[in-house]
Amino acid sequence: METAYISRLAKIDVNVDLTHKLCASLMLTPFRSTGSPLSLVIGSLYIKHPNLFGGSEKLDVSLDKGPYDSNVLIAYRRPRPEWLAQQSFVIQHSIAPEIGVHGVPMDNFSRSGSGGVNLSRLADGLDLNEPASTKWSSTTSIKFEHIRPLSDDGRSISRDFDGFPVTCSGSSHDNMVVLRQESRYAKANDHSFCRLSLQIGQGIPVLSKWLIFNRFKFIASKGLKLGPAFLLTSLTGGSIVGDMAPYQAFAIGGLGSLRGYGEGAVGSGRSCLVANNELTFPLHKMLEGAIFLDCGTDLGSGIYVPGIFPRQRSDSEDVSGLVEQWPSKKDIGHMFEFIACYVACERANVSKVS
């Protein structure tokens, strides 16, 4: 931690944490790998200024870098009375592999590898944090988002390896203005707790080609102490209507969904419903055991995700109406031509007995 004094009234706190992976052979090839040792550096950088212009304005800058992802966040907050919503002007840019929908299941679906689609996301706008009242709190934001899919070597792409579009517009990028509202409820005591989160996002059609959609998601969880054990249950669900790019689909599978599967390895859909149950109990002073049961479904909406239906159709689905009856008249004609060719070459004989 380093502290740089700018004036008598302000100081900048800088926190740098860098780690170099020496065992590069055990890692996947980083995004935009240049062969430089810096490509294997992962870590984070945080800069905080508590009094930017002398009026208690706060500036927060954070940089997080992984082996194949990165995130830069700049937030500027102006002081306001406590009874008013606190405003934050935010600029964020991130690059990360899109494995929820375009990932490739590996190791018997226990994890998902990169499918060659990475999302470059630029967002800037305003966050409003409403003053907390009783057990409820809420956040409202309006942001412009520019999303550009990239290949593993950093080139802009509009289709994946299978030739399906990776954007809603069909071009190399998607633009949208999104109004989001999130309300949170929390209640806890010595024996239990409950939490509820409601999230609503609305795409605003500022221009004709920008995405128009409504996205809803909820997370409800309940924790209960049962003697020395603790039971945690949660239910997550959501749905999106209107314009939708594949990367906006609800991915089922992963640590925050169905554990034991890679992210998106179970499926993806316009809607989802996931239930998680976990019982933890002490085995020793330094050891704890856990039993969990997870289940989830896309509610039959996976076929409505653009570009997913031809690739992820389940073997159990009825496709009888989509398969042409065989042999067709064209197939019968080909068989007659094949037989006639063999007879003409004297490689087959036709019996004279009818």
Side-chain angles (χ1 to χ4, degrees):
M1 171 74 74
E2 297 182 4
T3 302
Y5 289 90
I6 304 301
S7 66
R8 295 181 180 179
L9 300 177
K11 65 180 181 179
I12 297 178
D13 295 332
V14 180
N15 189 353
V16 181
D17 178 15
L18 294 178
T19 305
H20 189 281
K21 292 292 185 181
L22 299 178
C23 190
S25 61
L26 299 180
M27 296 177 57
L28 296 175
T29 303
F31 177 69
R32 290 187 180 182
S33 176
T34 60
S36 169
L38 293 178
S39 64
L40 301 179
V41 173
I42 64 174
S44 58
L45 170 65
Y46 298 94
I47 301 176
K48 295 186 178 182
H49 198 301
N51 194 19
L52 187 61
F53 299 115
S56 299
E57 301 90 348
K58 293 180 172 58
L59 176 67
D60 294 339
V61 179
S62 65
L63 168 63
D64 295 292
K65 183 185 180 301
Y68 33 83
D69 61 346
S70 64
N71 182 67
V72 179
L73 176 64
I74 302 174
Y76 169 73
R77 293 188 291 272
R78 296 184 302 178
R80 303 191 71 190
E82 294 182 358
W83 62 86
L84 296 178
Q86 301 301 308
Q87 298 179 349
S88 299
F89 298 92
V90 178
I91 300 176
Q92 184 176 13
H93 179 260
S94 63
I95 298 178
E98 202 297 291
I99 61 177
V101 175
H102 296 96
V104 179
M106 306 174 68
D107 299 339
N108 294 325
F109 294 89
S110 63
R111 65 185 180 94
S112 297
S114 174
V117 178
N118 305 270
L119 292 184
S120 172
R121 187 187 300 263
L122 174 64
D124 60 272
L126 177 66
D127 287 341
L128 296 175
N129 294 306
E130 300 291 339
S133 59
T134 62
K135 300 177 178 63
W136 284 92
S137 62
S138 64
T139 301
T140 304
S141 67
I142 181 168
K143 294 180 182 178
F144 166 77
E145 296 186 9
H146 175 82
I147 301 175
R148 186 163 56 100
L150 304 173
S151 62
D152 286 337
D153 56 4
R155 293 181 294 103
S156 296
I157 57 176
S158 60
R159 296 183 177 274
D160 59 16
F161 286 154
D162 297 318
F164 296 103
V166 292
T167 61
C168 180
S169 63
S171 64
S172 60
H173 64 272
D174 282 331
N175 290 326
M176 65 190 83
V177 172
V178 185
L179 176 64
R180 291 188 176 92
Q181 169 74 38
E182 181 178 2
S183 298
R184 297 172 296 273
Y185 172 84
K187 180 181 178 181
N189 54 42
D190 294 338
H191 303 284
S192 65
F193 76 87
C194 60
R195 288 195 298 258
L196 176 64
S197 174
L198 303 175
Q199 306 169 13
I200 299 177
Q202 176 67 56
I204 302 175
V206 178
L207 296 180
S208 60
K209 294 184 178 180
W210 291 12
L211 274 63
I212 308 173
F213 61 90
N214 183 273
R215 180 185 175 98
F216 170 76
K217 182 179 180 180
F218 73 89
I219 304 173
S221 58
K222 173 75 173 180
L224 183 63
K225 190 174 182 180
L226 302 174
F230 190 80
L231 176 65
L232 175 62
T233 63
S234 65
L235 182 67
T236 303
S239 183
I240 180 172
V241 295
D243 298 334
M244 187 186 74
Y247 54 79
Q248 292 179 299
F250 293 94
I252 302 176
L255 292 178
S257 181
L258 267 64
R259 289 163 287 187
Y261 294 90
E263 184 177 352
V266 178
S268 304
R270 276 184 173 264
S271 302
C272 78
L273 192 62
V274 177
N276 304 104
N277 302 274
E278 179 180 284
L279 179 66
T280 58
F281 46 89
L283 297 177
H284 192 263
K285 293 182 179 180
M286 303 292 292
L287 186 62
E288 225 179 34
I291 300 175
F292 66 86
L293 174 64
D294 300 335
C295 57
T297 174
D298 63 3
L299 301 174
S301 64
I303 61 176
Y304 302 111
V305 177
I308 301 301
F309 176 61
R311 291 181 297 182
Q312 296 186 358
R313 180 189 298 278
S314 171
D315 293 336
S316 62
E317 291 178 332
D318 183 14
V319 296
S320 58
L322 302 177
V323 179
E324 185 179 3
Q325 184 178 1
W326 188 91
S328 64
K329 293 182 179 180
K330 186 177 180 180
D331 295 326
I332 294 174
H334 288 325
M335 285 190 292
F336 285 156
E337 290 178 1
F338 176 81
I339 295 173
C341 179
Y342 262 55
V343 172
C345 295
E346 297 183 354
R347 299 184 62 182
N349 297 320
V350 178
S351 176
K352 296 180 180 182
V353 180
S354 57

